[in-house]
Amino acid sequence: MIDSPVFLIDDDSEFRKAASSFFVSRGVKTEGFHSATSFLDSLRPGTGGCIILDMKMPDMSGFDLQEKLIARGFRIPIIFLTAYADVPTIVRAMKYGAYDFLLKPVDMKLLFEQAMFALEMNEHRRNCEKQKEALRTRLRTLTEREHDILSLALSGKSNKEISQVLGISHRTVETHRSHILVKIGVNNLLELAHIFIELESYGVSYGAPPGKKVTN
């Protein structure tokens, strides 16, 4: 069960109560806010979950809140709610990362389903971020030579080819590769390659350390 909350941001107190009751009865935590400003004031670093956000509110529009969240580095999925929206409005919201755009009066079951999908997506993204940071930490333990060998190995070069490129013995390459696997915590290069492929699908690639160029 996902433990992250659903944030209900709407100046309509009746809607907040109804949505909160619906979600809580299904085991999902909710936090209600009558304005975008009150939600922003409550934000803490690392806040996760999903936002259900009314597009038009007195103090700050949904778009304004979306822009402020982006500026602060928060990537919480947003489901916008509005009584009316044209295509340009929807396109703008989606362009800046909105998860969905639903018209009021909204079907509560549909809203719940979309919120669950958004929570699962965000949970997966956050887990991936943790994996990426753990991998970055382990990569920082590699020596400059180990970085050279890892880059060349991931590009598909054999130990013999790596030894020729770097001007070192075949046995030295094997030793360094063994140390690399131990430091990163994998059993073989194939397993390591799978990790990099998965992370690259989420926007992270591996190359030489900053400021260093590996000559092929």
Side-chain angles (χ1 to χ4, degrees), residues 73-212:
F74 287 96
R75 298 176 59 190
I76 308 173
I78 297 174
I79 298 174
F80 279 106
L81 301 180
T82 185
Y84 172 79
D86 52 24
V87 173
T89 301
I90 296 174
V91 170
R92 178 184 173 187
M94 295 302 184
K95 179 181 178 181
Y96 287 97
Y99 180 79
D100 204 351
F101 208 108
L102 301 177
L103 294 176
K104 286 184 172 182
V106 65
D107 178 88
M108 203 62 71
K109 182 179 179 181
L110 173 61
L111 180 61
F112 178 81
E113 290 174 351
Q114 291 303 91
M116 292 304 97
F117 286 135
L119 284 173
E120 290 172 3
M121 177 192 72
N122 197 48
E123 193 73 12
H124 185 68
R125 181 192 62 77
R126 285 162 64 86
N127 287 336
C128 185
E129 290 291 342
K130 291 178 182 178
Q131 290 179 37
K132 288 189 292 187
E133 185 51 42
L135 181 57
R136 289 191 189 101
T137 298
R138 293 194 292 270
L139 286 171
R140 285 193 287 269
T141 69
L142 301 184
T143 66
E144 186 174 295
R145 177 62 82 193
E146 288 167 347
H147 271 289
D148 290 345
I149 292 172
L150 177 57
S151 293
L152 292 169
L154 289 174
S155 72
K157 292 194 177 335
S158 66
N159 285 357
K160 181 179 179 180
E161 291 171 322
I162 293 173
S163 68
Q164 292 172 343
V165 170
L166 298 178
I168 58 179
S169 72
H170 184 277
R171 181 59 180 271
T172 299
V173 173
E174 290 182 337
T175 300
H176 279 304
R177 282 183 58 153
S178 296
H179 291 166
I180 291 168
L181 297 179
V182 170
K183 287 183 177 181
I184 296 181
V186 293
N187 296 315
N188 52 61
L189 193 63
L190 180 60
E191 184 179 339
L192 179 59
H194 280 309
I195 292 174
F196 280 113
I197 290 171
E198 182 178 351
L199 293 179
E200 282 178 348
S201 69
Y202 287 91
V204 174
S205 59
Y206 173 76
K212 177 166 179 57

Side-chain angles (χ1 to χ4, degrees), residues 27-97:
V28 179
K29 295 190 301 184
T30 66
E31 294 183 32
F33 299 88
H34 68 279
S35 69
T37 300
S38 61
F39 172 71
L40 280 175
D41 290 342
S42 75
L43 269 182
R44 297 292 179 269
T47 296
C50 164
I51 297 172
I52 294 175
L53 176 61
D54 187 27
M55 178 62 72
K56 294 183 178 181
M57 290 180 289
D59 70 325
M60 185 189 302
S61 72
F63 277 146
D64 289 339
L65 175 58
Q66 184 183 36
E67 290 175 354
K68 288 183 181 297
L69 289 172
I70 293 172
R72 294 188 185 187
F74 287 96
R75 298 176 59 190
I76 308 173
I78 297 174
I79 298 174
F80 279 106
L81 301 180
T82 185
Y84 172 79
D86 52 24
V87 173
T89 301
I90 296 174
V91 170
R92 178 184 173 187
M94 295 302 184
K95 179 181 178 181
Y96 287 97

